[in-house]
Structures are given as C-alpha cells and as structure tokens.
Amino acid sequence: MPGETITIQAGQCGNQVGLQYWQQLALEHGINKDGTPNPYPQSANGSVLDSQTSNQDTSTDSKRLYREDHPELFFTFSDSNTYTPRSVLIDLEPSVVTKALNALPMLNPRNTHVSDHGSGAANNWSNGYKYGSEHIESILNIIDKEADKCDNLSQFQLFHSVAGGTGSGCGSKILEILQDRYTSKKIITTNSIFPSNEKTSDVVVQPYNSLLTLKRLIEFSNATFVFHNDALNTIENTIFNQSGSLQDQIISNTTSFQGTNKLIAFVSASVSNPMRFPGYMYSSIESVMSSLIPTPDLKFLTTSVAPFSTQSHHNYVNEYDMFLELSDDRYKTNRCVSTSPTSLTSPPEIAYISLMNYLISGSKLDRNEIRKGILKVQARTNFVPWTSRSVGVVHGKRSPYLEGSHLEGIQISNNTSIIDVFNRILRQYDLLVKRKAYLSTYTEDNSAEEMERVVDMFSECKESVVRVIDEYSACRSIDYLEDDDIEMDI
C-alpha cells in the first residue's frame, strides 16, 4: 500500500498552481468543492456505490470499501463523510490564499499560514527566507499536525516559484527543515516553476532569487520537477488557443496564468496516477523516483504533456501515436533544445539518462502499439552511453468520473537540458553581480563587510549550481559510473 503525501504550497505562484492541482484531483476522484464525495461509478467488476448503499452503511471503512481508487493518499477522510486535502497553504500576502479557500471550501482554513502584516516578500528571497525562519515553529506545527493524521506518510511535495520572494525564500527554509526533520524516511519532491528569460521578466533580481533557491533544491530535495515559464507559454498557446478566435484570445489575455497553471496541475496529478488508481507496477512514489534518478545530483526532471483531448478536441488513434506526441519537444515543460554550444558550429545534443511514459486510458491498452512506440522512442532518443536505454511505461487508469475513454499521457525524463536552464541563470547572475547591482536589497546594512558577506553567499550558491552542471555534463561520458569522485548510494 503506497503512503500518503502532504502538499505544501508557498507563495502566490505556489498557491495558484495548488488551487488548480486540488481541483484536478477532486475532479478525478469525484469530490465536490465542499469535500463531499459523489457516488462511485460502475466499476469493471460490477460493484457500485450508490446513494442507497451509502445511506445503509455510514462507517468510514465501509465507504472506502466500495472505492477502487485511493483518494485518501492525498485527502483526509472524516467521519462526516467529507474529504479534506492534505495541504498546507503559506503566503506573506493573503489574497491568493483567501481566493483558494473561497474557490475550494474543502481546503482546511486551519492549515493556512499568512503574515499578519500582509505586505508580501516584495519579490525578494531574503525577505521570504527571514520570515520563514522567524515563523518556522508556527509553520511546522501545521505540518506536524497534518503528518500525525497519516498512517504511512511517504512524501512531501512543494509547489513554489524559484524566482519570487515567498515561494523561493520561505520555500527554501521549509525544505531545510523538512530535510532535517523527515528526510531519512520521507521523500521530498518539488514542483518548481522557473522564470522566463530576462527579456520578459518583471522581477529584476530574479537571477539572485533563483540562485539562492537552486542551492536549497540541490541540497534538500530528492527530486525536482522543472516547469519553465517559456516552455509552458509555448505549450499553452499550442493546446489552449488552437481555435484562434478573437474571443478565445480575449479570454487568454485576461487569464494569462490559468492555462499554464492547469498544465502544471495536470502533469503533477498524473505523476501520482498509478498510486491513486493502483495497478501492477509503480504503485509508490519511491518506485517512480528510483527508476528516474540514478544518483543524488541527477535529480532535475523534465516532463512532457500530450495535448488534452478535452481542450484540443483531438483523440489519439493509438498508443504509438501517443509515444510520438510525448517525444515532441514542443510539449516539454522545459525546453530540450540547448543553446550552450560546445563548438562554434553546433550545440550539444540533449542526452537522456532515463525516460518514462504514462499512458492513461479508460480502456485496455494495445501492447503491440506500445512495443512499436518503445522501439521508435529508443531509436530516436540520444541516451547517455552507460544507461540501459530502457523506456519505462506506466499503464495509468483513467478516472471513472471522467467521461469517455480518451487516451492521455505524460512523460517524465531525466536529461541534460537542465544544463542550459542553469547556465542562463548564471549568465544573468554574472551580469548583475559584476556591477554589484541591487545587492543592497539582500544586506542588513550598507557596510563593506555586509556587502562582502552577501557576495560570498552568492558565490557559494553558484558553486553548488556549477557542480550540478558539471555532473550533468560528465554523465554524457561512458566512464561516468566508474569515476572515483562520484559517490553513489547503494
């Protein structure tokens, strides 16, 4: 039996994405906004939970007995027959948290932490980190109470932005504490939203914030799912704006982040599909992560999402077609096209360390088409030379609460495209720190000693990021696993 997951949402971005995430999970498990469950649909073996049966037996165990899914891994089920998300909402500014509580009454208002001042972190990592340090006991009390409700807690997952203030700074502090308090037995994963490039950024200090956050992701998370805003915007334009009508463009402009947040929510929810709708393989988050992450430093994961059948009005012909779509770089949440050349003529080809495809369907899958898809992906994918070139396949089950049996899917991969993401952040950082631009916003005073302390802090963070870049570069070599400098957990 897989263990429970506690979700932590930090900052404006983390709570906006978190709201979409819980709406997605509630939809898949037939849970209303107030937490009350809808009758479980007719299952494959003929059992059904109807209103009459529900009225006859109101015990918690009896109600769970009629479900073939496992919403309790992400929701707490109460004696009053309601589900409450196992989530903790944290922000220094109350508007987004208030909006989430109003939009989804099932969220527990006692699991929220909002600053009394309500002024936010001003997009500054230091402000968020300082606030998290000062209020860590209050935040931990909420997390510990939620952990006490779990029978077999296995994972913490964090939704946050890398470049803002609260999500990056306070989120970093929470990662440190969770790692120290729980990591010997629990997996800590993050769904991290990386900023757009410098041409479209509205936060001038985002390279500083990103660098400080990356050091904590490197040291304190077990796996990080990378969602890059530039790539998300491209996918959103492809999937959600296919009709191209003026009305659609107006709607898209007024809800600029809604589409990208839905993408992140769909991917994040799909990752746990084999746990929530159990099958024969990958029935725990540990089994998924162990298949994707070979060493502790190679833990930055790229996802890919095929167009939603409900949004694009495109139903895939078969599993082979799905494999081809998931391998298309246009649908990857982190661009897999490198701009960091190793020579003057061409950039290095992206190398894949591991690859896993989720095929989610309400009907049986065609093994022959899957076999053809695996062979095609293996032929087209540039794997690192020391890996087995295997392509994992998760047979996900489509929720019985969703209409139709459309084939949907996501892909999770561990590849060297993260080098380019990190290099871009470092280039932006170097441009700022060379002139000591905006460093005063991270100092407690304007003394030379304090300025030197901040520069040393940034240099230490840069060294951690460079080390991971070097690790991903080194993994392209056939001798990577034989390197004496690499320590592997056995």
Side-chain angles (χ1 to χ4, degrees):
M1 177 70 180
E4 297 93 349
T5 293
I6 292 178
T7 301
I8 301 171
Q9 305 161 201
Q12 178 178 341
C13 177
N15 282 292
Q16 287 176 335
V17 174
L19 174 60
Q20 296 285 350
Y21 174 76
W22 288 112
Q23 288 175 336
Q24 178 69 30
L25 288 189
L27 178 67
E28 293 185 12
H29 291 289
I31 302 173
N32 298 313
K33 291 182 179 181
D34 60 357
T36 57
N38 291 311
Y40 196 77
Q42 182 75 37
S43 65
N45 60 16
S47 65
V48 60
L49 178 61
D50 55 24
S51 57
Q52 182 179 0
T53 304
S54 178
N55 292 332
Q56 290 175 351
D57 194 341
T58 58
S59 69
T60 299
D61 291 338
S62 297
K63 288 173 182 174
R64 287 178 177 172
L65 181 65
Y66 291 100
R67 300 191 69 107
E68 295 181 354
D69 58 350
H70 290 296
E72 68 275 3
L73 299 181
F74 290 81
F75 297 84
T76 300
F77 189 69
S78 71
D79 293 336
S80 59
N81 191 29
T82 58
Y83 286 96
T84 303
R86 300 183 189 274
S87 63
V88 178
L89 287 67
I90 302 166
D91 205 351
L92 272 66
E93 197 273 328
S95 62
V96 177
V97 172
T98 302
K99 177 183 176 182
L101 293 175
N102 291 334
L104 213 58
M106 73 168 72
L107 291 168
N108 187 353
R110 295 184 297 277
N111 279 12
T112 63
H113 179 95
V114 180
S115 170
D116 295 333
H117 302 291
S119 57
N123 288 319
N124 186 288
W125 184 93
S126 292
N127 293 340
Y129 187 85
K130 181 179 179 181
Y131 180 88
S133 301
E134 293 173 348
H135 296 82
I136 194 62
E137 288 300 325
S138 174
I139 295 173
L140 272 179
N141 284 337
I142 299 174
I143 296 175
D144 288 342
K145 287 179 182 177
E146 198 60 39
D148 290 340
K149 299 177 185 177
C150 299
D151 297 326
N152 179 31
L153 176 62
S154 65
Q155 179 194 15
F156 291 96
Q157 65 173 349
L158 170 68
F159 285 97
H160 72 131
S161 168
V162 167
T166 305
S168 63
C170 189
S172 293
K173 184 61 182 180
I174 291 170
L175 284 178
E176 292 181 6
I177 298 301
L178 289 179
Q179 199 272 349
D180 179 65
R181 200 178 184 95
Y182 290 103
T183 195
S184 61
K185 297 181 180 179
K186 317 303 176 186
I187 287 182
I188 301 174
T189 64
T190 70
N191 297 278
S192 304
I193 294 86
F194 282 68
S196 299
N197 59 41
E198 66 275 14
K199 295 181 181 179
T200 57
S201 170
D202 58 353
V203 181
V204 69
V205 294
Q206 75 174 24
Y208 291 152
N209 294 337
S210 299
L211 199 65
L212 290 162
T213 310
L214 279 178
K215 176 175 169 53
R216 276 72 187 181
L217 292 176
I218 292 168
E219 293 185 358
F220 304 122
S221 74
N222 299 115
T224 291
F225 291 89
V226 177
F227 296 94
H228 200 283
N229 269 333
D230 288 336
L232 291 169
N233 290 333
T234 300
I235 300 172
E236 181 192 8
N237 292 334
T238 302
I239 295 177
F240 290 94
N241 300 328
Q242 288 190 352
S243 61
S245 67
L246 178 61
Q247 182 65 25
D248 286 341
Q249 293 175 13
I250 293 174
I251 294 174
S252 178
N253 291 334
T254 57
T255 58
S256 57
F257 294 106
Q258 187 175 6
T260 56
N261 291 345
K262 284 184 177 180
L263 286 171
I264 300 171
F266 177 79
V267 171
S268 301
S270 297
V271 169
S272 63
N273 179 281
M275 283 76 83
R276 295 183 292 113
F277 302 94
Y280 295 107
M281 297 179 64
Y282 303 109
S283 59
S284 67
I285 189 63
E286 291 86 353
S287 61
V288 173
M289 293 299 105
S290 63
S291 301
L292 293 165
I293 301 174
T295 69
D297 285 330
L298 303 178
K299 61 184 176 184
F300 290 89
L301 305 176
T302 295
T303 54
S304 177
V305 55
F308 296 87
S309 58
T310 55
Q311 294 291 341
S312 64
H313 306 290
H314 171 65
N315 297 332
Y316 293 98
V317 176
N318 53 35
E319 293 77 4
Y320 178 77
D321 190 15
M322 177 64 77
F323 272 95
L324 297 182
E325 291 285 350
L326 291 174
S327 298
D328 192 331
D329 287 340
R330 293 182 302 167
Y331 301 126
K332 287 182 169 57
T333 57
N334 171 39
R335 293 179 183 274
C336 288
V337 179
S338 178
T339 58
S340 305
T342 53
S343 66
L344 298 178
T345 57
S346 62
E349 185 179 3
I350 300 300
Y352 283 75
I353 301 162
S354 56
L355 189 63
M356 181 179 290
N357 286 322
Y358 281 61
L359 301 179
I360 302 172
S361 175
S363 58
K364 291 184 178 180
L365 299 175
D366 190 326
R367 295 183 179 274
N368 290 330
E369 295 296 333
I370 292 176
R371 190 176 298 108
K372 285 170 54 181
I374 292 175
L375 293 175
K376 179 62 69 174
V377 170
Q378 288 176 328
R380 289 186 175 183
T381 303
N382 176 40
F383 285 93
V384 293
W386 47 269
T387 192
S388 63
R389 299 181 62 86
S390 64
V391 177
V393 179
V394 176
H395 295 196
K397 296 180 181 178
R398 185 175 172 84
S399 167
Y401 290 99
L402 302 180
E403 296 181 359
S405 58
H406 305 305
L407 182 63
E408 295 180 336
I410 65 167
Q411 181 187 93
I412 310 175
S413 64
N414 194 344
N415 63 68
T416 58
S417 66
I418 196 65
I419 294 175
D420 189 56
V421 176
F422 286 1
N423 277 332
R424 276 183 291 178
I425 293 174
L426 291 182
R427 285 196 297 269
Q428 296 170 27
Y429 161 77
D430 288 337
L431 291 174
L432 289 179
V433 79
K434 181 172 63 176
R435 299 184 180 276
K436 296 185 177 180
Y438 306 106
L439 284 180
S440 59
T441 60
Y442 295 85
T443 60
E444 297 180 0
D445 55 60
N446 292 325
S447 65
E449 293 80 6
E450 180 68 7
M451 191 70 72
E452 183 178 355
R453 181 191 69 82
V454 171
V455 172
D456 289 342
M457 176 180 66
F458 280 127
S459 297
E460 183 181 349
C461 294
K462 181 178 179 179
E463 289 177 3
S464 296
V465 175
V466 170
R467 176 173 59 82
V468 174
I469 292 175
D470 292 341
E471 192 79 8
Y472 270 95
S473 298
C475 79
R476 292 191 179 107
S477 170
I478 194 172
D479 300 325
Y480 172 72
L481 294 180
E482 300 176 6
D483 195 330
D484 293 334
D485 294 332
I486 297 179
E487 297 181 1
M488 295 190 63
D489 294 338
I490 300 178

